[in-house]
């Protein structure tokens, strides 16, 4: 029963002379529902549903067809046909109507004229049910009703005001007491306020009006009925089509005559008129169901004042000039005021286009105003066959042409942030882009990188991308229809900026948005397996340790993914500023990010009470003998602020030379690691962020030394850097080298190297003077070598084992144990000897 504009013309049915349409359920409640976008509904007679009941006192009705009602006035034919329809698309009131147009078709047969009415049935019933059929209606009829006016044939008229014999005025037969007032209320009058028929200025002296003010405009419409015909002579239909235009833009095209007439209509352009598309093409087409050969047509049309023709103006379509072997003549006459007559005919033979549809011509239109809606109105049409006989045809509904020369407002608050959860185990995280400003429309989102992962600007100066270059390179389209918030999870590893554009319904493009700040889409330090797995773990720390201390562009570029520090702001989530060095700046980033996005390190074991300030001290002897081996201990008194530190020791190279750096049990027990980037360098960090750094007092690492000659070793703290869990500097309350001091605790440091082939270094510390024994045992527990068995002062010591037993014989390769026994202390460690 209801078809959208784009649908093909449905098959027509019989030829009733009036149409009764039931509105949607909401109309029964007196409600109006406006759609979001204007819709055109093409309504034709078809299957119907429920029967109607007019209540007591209604005129007799005959039920015919599929739920339709036919009322015949003898001697007739004067017809009223009532067809209940489920819906016209949306409910509306009289106040919602902008205009009502009607089109007449056939010539007058009866010289006395013909009746034709448009009738509204409202809810609640204006006259009550007591009046039966006539008590329910508000009728629009010709201005000179009761004199029977013949309508003008083949044109569209507007039921708006009593401006001539083809206009209509309104009356309420139950209240006005008369039909067809001279000067009766118009549509505008009904919408302006209440009507009191007893005092209405146009009420004639004849007839009896009922008093009381009635608000017609706000009444919810229940049905609409159309009537045409004559009670005095046999005539064909005078009303061919009705068009109801609502204020919300909806249009209802209703075919009353129910004959499959050709329709010549302007079709929508592909786009609105915009700065991008300043000249649009509007096809004027014909659609019909009969294949009667067409020789020619004449179309009169008007374009509204806010439209103008643009090159190539009006051009012939393919409907007539596609007839094989034929020649056409195409003419356009400008009548002024935006009115044009377009004529086209086939010259001579062969004659006749039998196609059921095609394009007659094309209008090329531009705008004369910045925005609004232009209108193309087909005023009248003439179609002729090959014998110059008329082919009945109808003008289609006026076409609205949207004009929008104003681009939408841009987005001004575009923001991006790295996604910190729900990323899965891939090599990248998402980046969440959001915004709240900008005009409505479709948002296209673009991204562009800063330099190239992983070195970024290490190979030369790099600038952030220019938003003004979008949407061209280096900008890449992320989404053509993004909604906020939008998660970009498709970018490769890098540091990304974003911009956006808004495209409105007419394809106007906004200026570029603000550019977001840059964001990484991966976790710094997440390097293995492969390209990463969205967490920093032991494999990543091992990869860092394997290359720790590398320097120089060539060596570091080969493992550039490890060169993550320093960063632009110091943050572990900021863009790296590679320095071609794998050292503490990288370790501290790995350490902070250890465990993955959002990871929190477990609480450290046996955490001592925090000191009142952070101190880094180095314990070393004041003087050494020639050939002596000893260790310098780097220790911390921590207040819980230090996440990592880098200490570089100094020494007198004429007296001593540095050796290996060993991690302390105290550091390892708190989940920390110690690396050395160079001789005498100690880089230490706690893995993961627990919110508490090094607290209490303990050794971080030991650095072994061997004396070249007797003298003062000159052990010094050449430089010291400490960072907190945000990679911010920690102000140290004290840094010093302490000489002659006893270790705070006894310890047997890890063997280095382990496993070994030639020599293994065994470093240990004793906090109390007394007997010290350092011995090697095999797997059966048999003593194979005693390295130390004597009184020792408190201090740190270093011994070497070359893999021989007490007799000087080389032992077999295998696993052995070294055991330290000292006052109040005993500990063993494994060591593996290789051949």
């Amino acid at each position: 029963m209801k078809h959208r504009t784009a649908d093909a013309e449905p098959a027509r049915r019989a030829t009733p002379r009036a149409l009764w349409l039931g509105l949607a359920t909401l109309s029964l409640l007196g409600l109006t529902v406006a759609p979001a976008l204007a819709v055109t509904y093409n309504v034709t007679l078809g299957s119907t549903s429920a029967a109607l009941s007019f209540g007591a006192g209604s005129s007799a009705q005959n039920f015919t067809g599929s739920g339709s009602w036919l009322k015949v006035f003898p001697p007739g034919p004067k017809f009223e046909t009532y067809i209940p329809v489920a819906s016209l698309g949306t409910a509306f009131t009289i106040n919602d109507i902008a205009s009502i147009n009607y089109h007449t078709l056939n010539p007058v047969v009866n010289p006395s004229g013909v009746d034709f009415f448009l009738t509204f049935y409202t809810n609640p019933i204006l006259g009550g049910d007591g009046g039966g059929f006539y008590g329910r209606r508000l009728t629009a009829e010709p201005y000179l009703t009761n004199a029977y006016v013949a309508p003008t044939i083949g044109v569209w008229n507007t039921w708006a005001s009593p401006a001539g014999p083809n206009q209509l005025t309104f009356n309420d037969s139950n209240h006005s007491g008369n039909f067809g007032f001279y000067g009766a209320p118009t549509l505008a009058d009904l919408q302006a306020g209440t009507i009191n028929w007893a005092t209405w200025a146009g009420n004639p002296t004849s007839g009896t009006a009922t008093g009381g003010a009635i608000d017609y405009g706000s009444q919810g419409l229940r049905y609409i009925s159309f009537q045409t015909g004559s009670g005095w002579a046999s005539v064909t239909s005078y009303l061919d089509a009705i068009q109801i235009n609502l204020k919300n833009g909806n249009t209802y095209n209703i075919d009353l005559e129910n004959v499959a007439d050709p329709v010549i209509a302007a079709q929508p352009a592909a786009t609105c008129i915009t700065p991008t598309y300043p000249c649009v093409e509007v096809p004027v087409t014909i659609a019909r169901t009969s294949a009667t050969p067409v020789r020619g047509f004449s179309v009169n049309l008007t374009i509204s004042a806010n439209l103008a023709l643009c090159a190539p103006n009006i051009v012939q379509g393919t409907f007539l000039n596609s007839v094989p072997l034929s020649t056409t003549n195409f003419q356009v006459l400008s009548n002024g005021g935006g009115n044009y007559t377009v004529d086209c005919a086939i010259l001579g033979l062969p004659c006749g286009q039998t196609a059921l549809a095609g394009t007659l011509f094309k209008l090329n239109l531009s705008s004369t105003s910045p925005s609004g809606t232009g209108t193309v109105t087909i005023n009248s049409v003439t179609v002729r066959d090959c014998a110059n006989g008329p082919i009945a045809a109808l003008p289609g509904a006026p076409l609205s042409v949207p004009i929008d020369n104003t681009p939408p407002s841009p987005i001004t608050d575009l923001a991006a942030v790295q996604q910190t959860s729900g990323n899965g185990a891939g090599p990248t995280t998402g980046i969440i882009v959001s915004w709240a400003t900008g005009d409505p429309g479709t948002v296209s989102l673009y991204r562009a990188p800063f330099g190239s992962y992983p070195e970024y600007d290490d190979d030369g100066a790099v600038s952030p991308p220019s938003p003004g270059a979008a949407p061209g390179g280096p900008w890449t389209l992320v989404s053509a229809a993004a909604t906020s918030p939008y998660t970009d999870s498709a970018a490769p590893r890098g540091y990304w900026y974003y911009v956006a554009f808004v495209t409105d319904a007419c394809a106007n493009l906004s200026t570029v948005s603000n550019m977001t700040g840059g964001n990484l889409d991966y976790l710094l330090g997440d390097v293995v397996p492969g390209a990463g797995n969205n967490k920093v773990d032991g494999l990543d720390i091992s990869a860092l340790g394997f290359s720790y201390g590398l320097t120089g562009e060539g060596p570091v570029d080969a493992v550039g993914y490890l060169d993550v520090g320093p960063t632009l702001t110091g943050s572990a989530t900021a863009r790296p500023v590679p320095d071609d060095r794998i050292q503490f700046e990288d370790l501290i980033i790995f350490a902070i990010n250890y465990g993955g996005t959002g990871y929190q390190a477990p609480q450290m074991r046996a955490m001592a009470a925090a000191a009142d300030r952070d101190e880094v001290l180095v314990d070393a002897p004041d003087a050494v003998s020639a050939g002596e081996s000893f260790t310098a201990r780097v220790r911390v008194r921590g207040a819980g602020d230090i996440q990592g530190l880098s200490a570089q020791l100094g020494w007198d190279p004429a007296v001593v030379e540095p050796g290996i750096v060993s991690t302390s049990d105290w550091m390892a027990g708190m989940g920390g690691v110690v690396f050395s980037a160079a001789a005498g360098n100690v880089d230490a960090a706690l893995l993961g962020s627990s919110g508490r750094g090094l607290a209490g007092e303990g050794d971080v690492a030991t650095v072994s030394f061997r004396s070249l000659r007797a003298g003062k070793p000159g052990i010094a703290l050449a430089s010291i850097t400490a960072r907190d869990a945000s990679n911010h500097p920690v102000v140290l309350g004290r840094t010093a080298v302490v000489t002659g001091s006893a270790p705070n605790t006894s310890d047997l440091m890890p063997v280095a190297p382990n496993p070994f082939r030639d020599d293994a270094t065994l470093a240990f510390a004793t906090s109390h003077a007394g007997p010290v024994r350092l011995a090697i045992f095999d797997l059966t527990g048999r003593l194979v070598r005693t390295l130390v068995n004597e009184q020792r002062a408190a201090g740190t010591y270093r011994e070497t084992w070359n893999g021989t037993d007490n007799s000087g014989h080389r032992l077999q390769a295998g696993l052995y144990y070294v055991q330290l026994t000292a006052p109040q202390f005993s500990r063993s460690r494994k060591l593996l000897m290789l051949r």
Side-chain angles (χ1 to χ4, degrees):
M1 190 68 192
K2 179 172 61 183
H3 300 273
R4 299 273 176 145
T5 303
D7 292 347
E9 182 77 21
R12 311 283 182 101
R13 294 175 61 88
T15 313
R17 294 298 188 266
L19 178 63
W20 177 289
L21 301 171
L23 298 182
T25 304
L26 287 177
S27 67
L28 302 179
L29 304 176
L31 300 177
T32 300
V33 179
L37 296 174
V39 178
T40 299
Y41 297 91
N42 295 323
V43 182
T44 60
L45 300 182
S47 299
T48 56
S49 53
L52 301 180
S53 173
F54 292 102
S58 64
S59 302
Q61 305 289 321
N62 296 318
F63 179 76
T64 63
S66 300
S68 63
W69 290 87
L70 176 67
K71 183 175 182 179
V72 181
F73 295 82
K78 179 181 180 183
F79 295 101
E80 291 177 288
T81 300
Y82 312 104
I83 301 176
V85 181
S87 173
L88 276 182
T90 59
F92 55 89
T93 69
I94 294 175
N95 279 338
D96 294 323
I97 300 173
S99 64
I100 306 171
N101 303 322
Y102 71 93
H103 186 265
T104 56
L105 179 66
N106 296 323
V108 176
V109 175
N110 185 354
S112 64
V114 64
D115 289 341
F116 55 97
F117 303 128
L118 164 68
T119 305
F120 296 110
Y121 292 84
T122 60
N123 182 64
I125 304 303
L126 293 177
D129 287 334
F133 173 74
Y134 288 102
R136 301 166 181 257
R137 68 184 189 176
L138 177 66
T139 303
E141 55 186 325
Y143 180 56
L144 297 177
T145 282
N146 298 330
Y148 295 105
V149 175
T152 302
I153 302 302
V155 297
W156 282 94
N157 292 280
T158 300
W159 289 342
S161 60
N166 294 306
Q167 305 300 317
L168 291 101
T169 54
F170 288 88
N171 66 78
D172 178 347
S173 60
N174 190 64
H175 292 86
S176 67
N178 196 5
F179 288 94
F181 297 139
Y182 293 87
T186 66
L187 179 62
D189 292 326
L190 294 179
Q191 294 178 346
T194 58
I195 300 295
N196 189 328
W197 291 97
T199 60
W200 184 255
N203 191 19
T205 55
S206 62
T208 302
T210 302
I214 300 174
D215 179 5
Y216 291 97
S218 63
Q219 300 296 319
L221 296 183
R222 189 173 183 182
Y223 302 106
I224 299 177
S225 172
F226 302 98
Q227 173 187 308
T228 186
S230 174
W232 292 269
S234 295
V235 296
T236 53
S237 174
Y238 286 90
L239 288 181
D240 181 59
I242 299 291
Q243 183 182 85
I244 301 174
N245 302 302
L246 300 187
K247 294 176 181 178
N248 65 5
N250 279 8
T251 299
Y252 300 101
N253 296 320
I254 306 164
D255 187 352
L256 302 180
E257 194 220 5
N258 207 23
V259 175
D261 305 312
V263 175
I264 295 176
Q267 304 299 329
T271 69
C272 309
I273 297 177
T274 68
T276 304
Y277 303 99
C279 185
V280 300
E281 185 180 85
V282 172
V284 176
T285 63
I286 185 170
R288 58 193 187 134
T289 58
S290 172
T292 302
V294 174
R295 176 183 286 278
F297 64 82
S298 179
V299 176
N300 180 266
L301 62 90
T302 302
I303 62 174
S304 57
N306 56 354
L307 295 176
L309 293 179
C310 53
N313 299 327
I314 301 177
V315 296
Q316 185 178 359
T318 59
F319 183 69
L320 290 185
N321 68 8
S322 63
V323 176
L325 304 178
S326 67
T327 302
T328 60
N329 182 268
F330 183 76
Q331 300 287 338
V332 177
L333 176 63
S334 175
N335 304 310
N339 182 264
Y340 299 88
T341 300
V342 182
D343 298 334
C344 186
I346 295 175
L347 303 178
L349 297 175
C351 172
Q353 174 60 272
T354 58
L356 299 181
T359 299
L360 302 182
F361 55 91
K362 299 174 183 178
L363 302 171
N364 290 279
L365 300 175
S366 63
S367 66
T368 60
S369 62
S371 62
T373 302
T375 305
V376 177
T377 303
I378 307 295
N379 303 308
S380 62
V381 297
T382 300
V383 182
R384 298 292 174 86
D385 62 20
C386 288
N388 200 26
I391 297 176
L394 290 176
L399 172 71
S400 294
V401 180
I403 302 168
D404 188 353
N405 289 310
T406 304
S409 298
I411 293 171
T412 58
D413 63 343
L414 197 68
V417 64
Q418 186 177 19
Q419 182 174 333
T420 58
S421 62
N423 286 295
T428 60
T429 69
I431 296 179
I432 302 172
V433 187
S434 61
W435 62 93
T437 59
D439 278 346
T442 302
V443 174
S444 50
L445 188 65
Y446 292 80
R447 80 168 92 87
F450 179 93
S452 300
Y453 168 84
E455 296 287 66
Y456 299 106
D457 58 354
D458 188 44
D459 295 328
V462 176
S463 298
S466 170
W475 296 96
T476 300
L477 181 66
V478 175
S479 172
T483 57
S484 179
Y486 181 90
T487 300
D488 180 15
S489 56
R493 282 197 167 194
Y495 188 73
W496 300 102
Y497 296 84
Y498 292 83
V499 296
F501 295 88
V502 179
T503 303
D504 63 19
C506 283
N508 285 313
L509 191 67
S510 72
T511 56
V512 68
S513 70
N514 65 294
M515 185 173 71
T516 68
N519 279 270
L520 295 172
D521 65 343
Y522 64 100
L523 194 62
L524 294 180
D526 175 25
V527 296
V528 292
N533 57 1
N534 270 335
K535 66 178 180 179
V536 179
D537 56 19
L539 292 176
D540 301 298
I541 298 298
S542 294
L544 178 68
F546 184 81
S547 298
Y548 208 79
L550 286 180
T551 61
E553 182 175 346
V556 173
D557 281 356
V559 289
Y561 49 85
L562 299 173
D563 192 6
V564 298
T567 64
L568 191 64
T569 64
S571 167
T573 60
R575 173 173 60 81
V577 184
D579 58 359
D580 290 329
R581 299 173 61 198
I582 308 299
Q583 36 73 56
F584 176 70
E585 294 292 354
D586 308 297
L587 172 61
I588 190 65
I589 298 297
F590 273 65
I592 292 172
N593 285 339
Y594 185 84
T597 305
Y599 173 81
Q600 293 291 315
Q603 289 295 319
M604 301 173 190
R605 299 192 301 270
M607 177 65 74
D612 58 357
R613 62 178 183 174
D614 294 296
E615 299 179 349
V616 176
L617 307 174
V618 177
D619 292 330
D622 182 56
V624 294
S625 302
E628 180 182 352
S629 297
F630 66 94
T631 58
R633 296 183 299 119
V634 179
R635 57 190 175 95
V636 165
R637 290 175 181 168
D641 304 310
I642 299 174
Q643 178 82 19
L645 63 87
S646 178
Q648 179 61 54
L649 301 186
W651 58 89
D652 184 346
V655 177
V656 295
E657 62 180 8
I660 63 173
V661 175
S662 302
T663 305
S664 72
D665 288 344
W666 184 74
M667 191 68 182
M670 289 188 293
V673 294
V674 174
F675 292 149
S676 180
N681 168 249
V682 174
D683 290 344
L686 298 178
L687 298 180
S689 176
S690 66
R692 191 182 192 197
L694 295 174
E697 183 172 356
D699 292 346
V700 172
T702 60
V703 181
S704 66
F705 285 88
R706 184 175 68 89
S707 64
L708 302 176
R709 62 181 179 84
K712 292 183 177 294
I715 304 301
L717 190 56
S719 65
I720 179 68
T721 298
R723 304 280 177 80
D724 64 14
S726 297
N727 203 19
H728 295 151
V730 174
V731 178
L732 298 174
R734 180 190 177 201
T735 60
V737 174
V738 181
T739 60
S741 62
N744 291 323
T745 60
S746 297
D747 195 7
L748 175 61
M749 285 65 168
V751 179
N754 192 9
F756 73 99
R757 291 186 183 275
D758 297 320
D759 296 325
T761 299
L762 310 175
F764 63 93
T766 60
S767 59
H768 296 83
V772 174
R773 184 177 186 238
L774 184 67
I776 307 296
F777 297 85
D778 64 14
L779 284 177
T780 66
R782 179 174 64 91
L783 175 66
V784 297
R785 179 69 181 272
T786 301
L787 297 174
V788 177
N789 189 14
E790 61 187 13
Q791 293 288 325
R792 288 277 180 102
T796 58
Y797 300 93
R798 177 175 175 268
E799 300 293 335
T800 300
W801 181 46
N802 60 5
T804 60
D805 60 13
N806 285 327
S807 300
H809 297 115
R810 181 76 175 182
L811 296 173
Q812 292 182 347
L815 187 64
Y816 294 87
Y817 290 91
V818 57
Q819 183 184 63
L820 173 68
T821 304
Q824 305 177 22
F825 181 81
S826 178
R827 182 169 187 176
S828 297
R829 286 186 182 273
K830 295 178 183 179
L831 67 164
L832 178 63
M833 183 169 63
L834 305 175
R835 283 299 184 190

